[in-house]
RNA sequence: GCCCGGGUGGCGAAACUGGUAGACGCACGGGACUUAAAAUCCCGAGUCCGGCGACGGACGUGCCGGUUCGAGUCCGGCCCCGGGCACCA
């Protein structure tokens, strides 16, 4: 039984119905002519089955901003889509014996329904699903364009292989020697033929343009800078000495890369990576087996013992003409520089450890301050003057480097070069659920691209699913067999699919023109909307996704498809939500389920709590009771509104004077809150303080309610302030404000309530007059210590404030007749009376 | 090891440019309403010391020092926590 005349606060009673209405009648862009465009993008989710709290946070942030900007009159583009290819669908297929496609599509339907239930205001007419041929055919199209320009190529090389994924991984997907999806699975090295994107062609530009990304968090640009890892140095050629016991070599030189050419007179050996291609020529089968054992199998680190193998070959130092041994060493990386280095034990710690172990000579060639360094314990890696370096003796390092590079170039023994840590992007995956690579192998013509007219190369649907997994494309004969597009002979299709990071590298362009059947998108539309004004997502994509997306944009620009050099103007990286201090995960059993929260507290309270708990860039720990607090707050707003539907007509602008102190207080508090929220939304997005301001205002409404009933506040002022409260809450709790408006519209007189949804109103301007305090609390300090608080007019002059402070009896007593050495007056804030310099009370 | 963040009540936090430390909320305690409970509404609260008491005093933003009339905020040094990278020659 209920004794309330009006129904209590029950979000369940109205949120689902409003969500339905919004689905049918979206807040689609109907901007005023000339409205500024704003492309607001949130990272699209992988359709794993249901939203998790990380999604809710990401999308609650984005939606608050979208709603605010729309009310501000912007033409907001706010799309959503699905990153729908990838391995989990195959794993689920194994578990449930279902095909990845229905599993994925069912997940999408469920998550989309959840998003609607949360009230996220996406423009679903632009929805993109990457596993559909309408989307992935453009992946293939881009692949072909890149192939034409030499940006997609095939090579045999050492690659990262995850035994759990049963596929190859890009370098970017291997962290610390383990798979990014299977942190307990060491990655193996295998030599395979793979497709690559030549991202290194853009390394320099990708690095340089980081300086222009002023709207990105510095730590993200720093991570990318380190990832690209540009280093300047020199490539040097060491001539291999002939050996009587071995056949002559096809190429008698070894190329090394060094950033310290100044130490070249200290070389004790040349070290090759165990995978170095020349080893097949230099070594016999027994020897090669020994070097193969040196290939780092798992995540080896700087702490791993350094091991080597003396090949018996010797090479000649181009500068000193000295003959040094050629070793294979486990710590030399094949995929950096040339896979060979010169070992200078005196001036490189790794070489020092290696040479000490194998008793190779350690000879200093750099002397800091002219004094030979102490090498008894470790290498000296700093700068200094050259010694033991023939004609270069006495030169400082930097001068020596320049002069040595010049000499090497003249002698045709090397040249100055720039090397990058960044590798070409390996995009081949030996999996089913991905974009087929549109290539054909013809016995006569070789590698032949699929002609554009034959796109998309469709993923075959009727594939066997067994407990062992989804059949690899290589096992599906009907897919493989194809006529060569050039000569018509029987040929075979490429059976690798593309890395799913290809999908997410350009999806935000497809939103702009999702139904285009002729091109990935129309250039004119991209010109209008790009770059993305604001991108919001997790920090975990700081490198992979965001560097690939930048690469794609530069390629698209060079293809003439777009005019922008960079895809994203501003980036916001949200913090993580943890539970009991740990990352939420099913295996830990500490997952907070958004669906359960909706059920219990509704969408508004859940969204509002996520925004209230902490500033959005910070991590925060989930607290169940926190949601209840927000639920209570929304109930307070609701009940207040139910008790006081507006009675007076809507009108613009605030009154110029207040009829009573109570009215004065309400008007000030309202405009102070409005100012705080407006300023936050325009700057740093600390939504927690926005909601705090609204809570303070609601507390004042409650405090002044008796005053309204007593007639101490006019209805017009009360109504204005309450309507402003709804408007300022609209970005955060869209259901609540709309439900209140709906009920008001039924009960209030004509013209007292907006005829359209709250969301479609203009964002109100705060009144600077009312937002400014009139009376302040003046703090009086003596020697910097707070001694009194006084009321004072906000417009009082320095002199008036000083006099006021000195006149206070408490201050008089403290001064005891002494003459202040100095008084500091900060108008509107405080007076500090200094008795003597440096005095500490 | 290197590069970023970050340390403020019992907890999440606020203080945006050096000017009242702890707004707002959670948890807690007290009261009103109720037969009772829930819900709701109101009040209290950094810590310590003194006082029956309105109140007064001292201390207080990781630690040590500095600049300043005044430091959570600026500078120097250190400690701790989190994240990223990690044999890149």
């Amino acid at each position: 039984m209920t004794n309330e005349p009006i129904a209590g606060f029950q979000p369940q009673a109205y949120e689902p119905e409003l969500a339905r209405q919004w689905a049918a009648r979206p807040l689609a862009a109907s901007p005023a002519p000339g409205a500024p465009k704003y492309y607001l993008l949130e990272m699209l989710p992988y359709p794993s089955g249901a939203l998790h709290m990380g999604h809710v946070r990401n999308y609650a942030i984005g939606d608050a901003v979208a709603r605010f900007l729309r009310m501000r009159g912007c033409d907001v583009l706010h799309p959503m889509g699905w990153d729908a290819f990838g391995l989990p669908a195959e794993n689920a297929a194994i578990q449930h014996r279902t095909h990845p496609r229905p599993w994925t599509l069912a997940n999408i339907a469920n998550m989309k329904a959840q998003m609607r239930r949360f009230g996220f205001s996406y423009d679903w007419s632009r929805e993109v699903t990457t596993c559909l041929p309408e989307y992935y055919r453009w992946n293939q199209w881009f692949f072909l364009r890149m192939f034409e320009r030499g940006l997609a190529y095939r090579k045999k090389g050492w690659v990262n292989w995850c035994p759990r994924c049963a596929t190859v991984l890009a370098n970017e997907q291997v962290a610390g020697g383990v798979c990014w999806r299977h942190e307990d699975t060491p990655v193996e090295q295998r030599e395979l033929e793979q497709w690559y994107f030549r991202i290194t062609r853009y390394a320099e530009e990708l690095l340089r343009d980081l300086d222009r990304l002023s709207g990105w968090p510095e730590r993200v640009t720093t991570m990318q800078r380190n990832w690209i890892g540009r280093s300047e140095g020199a490539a040097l050629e060491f001539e291999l000495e002939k050996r009587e016991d071995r056949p002559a070599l096809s190429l008698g030189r070894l190329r090394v890369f060094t950033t310290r050419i100044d130490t070249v007179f200290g070389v004790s050996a040349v070290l090759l990576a165990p995978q170095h291609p020349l080893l097949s020529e230099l070594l016999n089968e027994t020897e090669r087996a020994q070097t193969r054992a040196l290939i780092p199998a798992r995540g080896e680190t700087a702490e791993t013992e350094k091991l080597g193998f003396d090949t018996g070959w010797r090479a000649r130092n181009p500068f000193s003409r000295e003959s040094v041994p050629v070793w294979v060493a486990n710590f030399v990386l094949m995929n950096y520089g040339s896979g060979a280095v010169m070992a200078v034990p005196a001036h490189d710690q790794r070489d020092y450890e290696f040479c000490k172990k194998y008793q190779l000579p350690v000879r200093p060639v750099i002397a800091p301050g002219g004094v030979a360094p102490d090498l008894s314990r470790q290498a000296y890696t700093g700068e200094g003057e050259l010694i033991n370096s023939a004609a270069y003796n006495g030169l400082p390092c930097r001068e020596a480097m320049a002069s040595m590079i010049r000499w090497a170039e003249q002698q045709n023994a090397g040249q100055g070069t720039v090397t990058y840590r960044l590798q070409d992007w390996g995009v081949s995956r030996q999996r089913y659920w991905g974009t087929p690579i549109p290539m054909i192998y013809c016995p006569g013509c070789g590698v032949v691209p699929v002609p554009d007219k034959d796109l998309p190369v469709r993923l075959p649907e009727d594939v066997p699913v067994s407990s062992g997994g989804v059949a690899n494309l290589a096992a599906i004969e009907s897919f493989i067999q194809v006529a060569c597009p050039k000569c018509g002979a029987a040929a075979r299709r490429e059976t690798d699919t593309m890395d799913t990071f290809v999908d997410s590298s350009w999806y935000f362009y497809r939103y702009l023109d999702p139904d285009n059947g002729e091109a990935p998108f129309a250039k004119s539309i991209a010109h209008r909307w790009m770059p993305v004004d604001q991108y919001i997502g997790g920090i975990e994509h700081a490198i992979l996704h965001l560097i690939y997306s930048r690469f794609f944009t530069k390629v698209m620009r060079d293809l003439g498809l777009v005019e922008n050099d960079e895809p994203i103007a501003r980036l916001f990286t949200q913090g993580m939500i943890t539970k009991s201090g740990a990352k939420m995960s099913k295996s830990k059993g500490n997952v907070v389920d958004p669906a359960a929260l909706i059920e219990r507290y509704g969408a508004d309270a859940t969204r509002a709590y996520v925004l209230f708990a902490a500033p959005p860039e910070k991590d925060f720990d989930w607290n169940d009771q926190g949601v209840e607090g927000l639920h209570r707050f929304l109930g307070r707003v609701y009940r207040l509104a139910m008790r006081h539907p507006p009675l007076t007509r809507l009108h613009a602008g605030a009154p110029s004077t207040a009829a009573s102190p109570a009215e004065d207080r309400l008007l000030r508090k309202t405009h102070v809150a409005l100012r705080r929220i407006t300023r936050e939304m325009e700057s740093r997005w600390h939504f927690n303080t926005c909601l705090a301001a609204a809570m303070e205002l609601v507390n004042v409404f409650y405090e002044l309610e008796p005053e309204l009933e007593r007639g101490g506040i006019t209805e017009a002022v009360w109504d204005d302030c309450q309507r402003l409260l709804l408007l300022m809450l609209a970005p955060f709790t869209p259901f609540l404000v709309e439900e209140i408006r709906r009920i008001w519209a039924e009960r209030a007189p004509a013209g007292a309530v907006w005829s359209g949804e709250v969301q479609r109103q203009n964002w109100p301007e705060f009144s600077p007059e009312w937002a400014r305090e009139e009376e302040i609390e003046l703090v009086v300090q003596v020697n910097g210590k707070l001694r009194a608080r006084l009321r004072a007019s906000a417009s009082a002059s320095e002199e008036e404030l000083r006099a006021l402070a000195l006149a206070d009896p408490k201050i008089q007593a403290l001064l005891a007749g002494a003459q202040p050495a100095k008084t500091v007056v900060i108008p509107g804030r405080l007076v500090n009376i200094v008795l003597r310099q440096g005095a500490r009370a």
Side-chain angles (χ1 to χ4, degrees), chain A residues 657-678:
Chain A
T657 55
S660 70
E663 207 167 282
D664 184 88
R665 179 159 161 71
L666 182 60
L667 280 163
R668 287 186 192 287
K669 201 72 186 177
T670 304
H671 286 271
V672 165
L674 183 55
R675 180 180 60 188
R676 269 175 77 182
I677 295 176
T678 305

Side-chain angles (χ1 to χ4, degrees), chain A residues 468-526:
Chain A
V470 185
N472 189 292
L473 289 182
I476 304 168
E477 266 315 299
S478 59
F479 172 79
I480 297 171
Q481 288 174 14
V482 64
C484 171
K486 264 192 189 163
C487 68
R492 298 177 74 77
R493 284 193 193 279
E494 168 64 67
T495 56
D496 285 351
T497 51
M498 292 184 211
D499 182 3
T500 57
F501 277 102
V502 174
D503 309 343
S504 56
S505 293
W506 70 279
Y507 74 100
F508 42 88
Y509 287 92
R510 185 67 180 172
Y511 284 144
L512 304 177
D513 195 6
D515 301 320
N516 196 324
E518 306 298 314
F521 53 87
K523 188 176 174 179
S524 59
I525 300 178

Side-chain angles (χ1 to χ4, degrees), chain A residues 683-719:
Chain A
S683 57
R684 57 176 194 177
W685 294 359
H686 281 195
F687 311 109
N688 52 331
T689 64
C690 295
L691 286 156
M695 287 171 180
E696 282 186 59
L697 174 57
V698 170
N699 290 345
V700 168
F701 269 112
Y702 270 70
E703 178 191 321
L704 296 178
E705 214 177 353
E707 204 58 41
L708 173 72
E709 273 144 30
R710 205 177 299 143
I713 295 177
T714 52
E715 283 293 347
V717 166
W718 182 273
D719 291 350

Side-chain angles (χ1 to χ4, degrees), chain A residues 555-576:
Chain A
V555 171
M556 286 155 76
R557 176 203 57 200
D558 291 347
L559 290 171
L561 282 171
V562 300
E563 288 163 58
N564 48 299
D565 295 317
E566 286 287 336
I568 291 146
R570 291 171 54 83
L571 174 70
F572 187 94
T573 50
Q574 73 196 55
M576 218 173 45

